[in-house]
Amino acid sequence: MNADKVLDAKGLACPMPIVKTRKEMKELESGQILEILATDKGAKADMTAWAKSGGHELLDTQEEDGVLKFWIKKG
């Protein structure tokens, strides 16, 4: 999936992946896509809830070699 920007949050513990995601999303235009890379297993539930509460769309989630990948479209 093509992303407008990639955020590497690997190695960061909760809540830092969400904190950094929020910061990056503020810089994107509506409709742009942010790809987030994280290793914190709690990020899966956190990203889903955060995207929904913020009016954003979680397009896809994948896990590859212990790295979680999220694609969130800015609302």
Side-chain angles (χ1 to χ4, degrees):
M1 185 174 296
N2 288 339
D4 295 289
K5 195 163 188 181
V6 177
L7 170 62
D8 185 350
K10 296 190 298 274
L12 298 176
C14 185
M16 288 313 293
I18 291 291
V19 171
K20 290 193 172 286
T21 297
R22 182 181 300 126
K23 183 177 181 287
E24 291 295 329
M25 287 298 271
K26 285 181 180 177
E27 297 178 15
L28 294 179
E29 300 292 325
S30 183
Q32 287 188 307
I33 297 170
L34 177 64
E35 178 180 344
I36 303 106
L37 309 175
T39 50
D40 179 13
K41 296 297 179 195
K44 200 167 203 171
D46 292 345
M47 288 292 176
T48 303
W50 180 83
K52 188 176 182 183
S53 70
H56 307 299
E57 183 181 353
L58 181 61
L59 301 174
D60 196 11
T61 304
Q62 295 177 8
E63 186 169 353
E64 190 177 298
D65 298 326
V67 177
L68 295 164
K69 298 180 181 182
F70 305 92
W71 288 269
I72 298 178
K73 183 176 182 180
K74 184 168 181 171

